[in-house]
Amino acid sequence: MTNPFRIAIAGLGTVGGGVVKALAARRDELSGRAGRPLRLTAVSARDKTKTRGFDLPVWHDDPLDLAQGDADVVVELIGGDEGIARQLVETALTNRKHVVTANKALLAKHGLALAALAERNGVTLKFEAAAAGGIPIVKALREGLIAHGVFAVKGILNGTCNYILTEMETSGRGFAEVLKDAQALGYAEADPTLDVGGGDTAHKLALLASLAFGAAPDFNAIAVTGIEHITADDIAFASEFGYRIKLLGIARKTGNAVDQRVTPTMVRARSSLASVSGAFNGVLVDAGAAGPFFFSGRGAGEAPTASAVIADIVEAANGAASPVFGRPAASLSQPVAADAMAAVSPWYLRFEVLDVPGVLAGIARELAEAGVSIESMIQRGRAPGEPVAIVMITHETAQAAVERALKAIAASDKVRARPCMIPMES
C-alpha cells in the first residue's frame, strides 16, 4: 500500500478549521486524487481548550514542533510576515518538508529567499490561497498562461474593500458608516487599516506580478492608495459618467519596467471588473495573443480558501512540482520600477469650492498651465457662498501633470477640501 501523505497544520482559525473539516469529510476522494492516503497527523494553534467542532490529532503547543516531526507537508495558516510564521516555514523547508501557506504578507516580503530555500532542499512551496482566496489565479499565471506571456494583471483582490464600495453605491451611505456595518458583519477587522488602506491588496499584487513577469516579489515598489477618501458623491458622479469605483491592484509592463500600483479606480460600468460585487474578487489578465482572461469568485472565507489550500496539499502529495514563482529562484529578475508619476490615463477630478464668480475659471487656468485637457464636466450650484462640487474628466494625461495642477488649485482660499483624483481604466 502506498505510504500515507502526512499533514501538519499550524493555525486552526477559519481557514485551518475548514481544511480539517474538508479533509475529514472527503478523505477518500481527495486521497484518490492525491494517489495516496491523506492523513492529518498533527496540529498546533493558540488555544487547545477551544471547542472547534472536529476531532484533533496529535497536538503541539509549539508550532515549530510540526517542522521537526514526521509530517510530509506543513500547512502554515498563522499569518504575519515575521515571527513564528516565518520561522515555521523556514524550518520546514530546511527539514525538507513541503509547505503550503495562505500567507501573502510573508511571501510578498520574503518570497524570493523562501523560494530559493525550497529549491535547495528539493521541496515545494505552494500558495494558491494567498493571492485571491478560492480563485485559481496562481496556477493560471504560473502554468496556464505562459505561451504568449502576460502583459498586465488587474484585480479586485480585497473583499472588504469591494463590499464597502458596493454597499456605498447601492445605499448612498458614506465610507465611515458602511465600514462600521462591515465590521459588525465580520467583513472588516476591528482594525481595518490593512484592508481599506490597500496593504492587503498590495501583498497579493506583489505575488501576482512575480508570477506574471518572472520577477522577484517587490512589495516596496508598489504605489498604494486606499479607499478612505472615497465619498458617496464620488460614487454617484462615477455612475453619471458610466463608471464604477473599485480598488484595483494593477501590474503592467511599460517597456522594460513594471508599473505596480494599488488605487481606487474608475472602471466602465459594463466591464467585467465592474460586475464584481460584494465580497467577491476578480482578476483580469492580458495574455497577449492568447487574449484576455477573467477570473472571479470568493476571495476569502472558510470554504473557498480551504479549497485552495487542499488543492495545494493534493498537488504536493502526488509529486506535482514547479518553481514557486514559475521560474527557478535564481532566474527571477529584479524588476525595474516604472515611474509612477509618468503613468498616463484619463482622470476623474472633484473639487469642493465656494460658489462664487471666478472659481471655475481659476481651476481651468491651472489645469491648462499644467497641460491637462478637460473632456467633460459636471457643476451643480447651491446657495451662494456655500461649498459646491465641480467634477471633471480629463483626457489622457500623465499623473505628474495632474498632481502639479491640483497642488496649485488646492492653494486657493476658494477651495474648501483637498481635491480628489481617481484614475480611469478602459
Side-chain angles (χ1 to χ4, degrees), residues 154-415:
K154 306 174 187 178
I156 297 168
L157 302 174
N158 184 272
T160 298
C161 289
N162 205 48
Y163 170 82
I164 290 172
L165 292 171
T166 300
E167 188 64 20
M168 288 174 67
E169 180 179 9
T170 56
S171 71
R173 294 182 296 159
F175 171 81
E177 184 179 354
V178 174
L179 172 60
K180 188 175 295 185
D181 282 356
Q183 290 170 318
L185 292 168
Y187 287 122
E189 301 288 343
D191 180 0
T193 305
L194 188 63
D195 289 322
V196 301
D200 177 77
T201 297
H203 286 142
K204 297 169 183 176
L205 182 66
L207 305 183
L208 298 184
S210 177
L211 292 163
F213 306 130
D218 192 5
F219 174 76
N220 293 326
I222 302 174
V224 181
T225 303
I227 66 169
E228 306 98 319
H229 67 287
I230 300 298
T231 68
D233 284 344
D234 291 323
I235 291 174
F237 283 126
S239 180
E240 289 194 48
F241 286 113
Y243 286 79
R244 288 186 172 135
I245 298 177
K246 299 292 184 181
L247 182 71
L248 295 189
I250 302 170
R252 57 163 64 94
K253 282 188 174 180
T254 58
N256 294 324
V258 177
D259 180 22
Q260 299 182 73
R261 61 183 61 231
V262 173
T263 182
T265 306
M266 289 176 59
V267 296
R268 292 193 182 276
R270 294 185 179 182
S271 67
S272 54
L273 286 171
S275 70
V276 180
S277 298
F280 279 68
N281 284 189
V283 182
L284 184 65
V285 180
D286 176 1
F293 291 84
F294 180 63
F295 303 79
S296 181
R298 293 191 178 276
E302 177 182 313
T305 311
S307 176
V309 170
I310 289 173
D312 280 347
I313 292 172
V314 170
E315 277 200 347
N318 65 29
S322 57
V324 177
F325 293 104
R327 302 184 186 186
S331 71
L332 293 173
S333 64
Q334 292 297 329
V336 176
D339 180 5
M341 290 295 104
V344 174
S345 75
W347 297 86
Y348 161 94
L349 307 178
R350 175 176 53 80
F351 307 95
E352 289 291 330
V353 301
L354 293 180
D355 192 7
V356 296
V359 173
L360 179 57
I363 291 174
R365 181 177 62 254
E366 296 293 353
L367 291 171
E369 289 182 358
V372 181
S373 174
I374 302 304
E375 179 183 275
S376 55
M377 184 185 77
I378 296 174
Q379 180 184 16
R380 294 198 175 95
R382 298 178 187 167
E386 291 186 1
V388 299
I390 296 176
V391 176
M392 299 175 176
I393 301 295
T394 77
H395 290 288
E396 288 197 345
T397 311
Q399 181 171 338
V402 177
E403 291 203 359
R404 185 166 62 251
L406 296 195
K407 182 178 180 180
I409 293 167
S412 168
D413 61 0
K414 305 298 189 299
V415 176

Side-chain angles (χ1 to χ4, degrees), residues 117 144 208 306 418:
L117 182 60
L208 298 184
R418 178 182 176 184

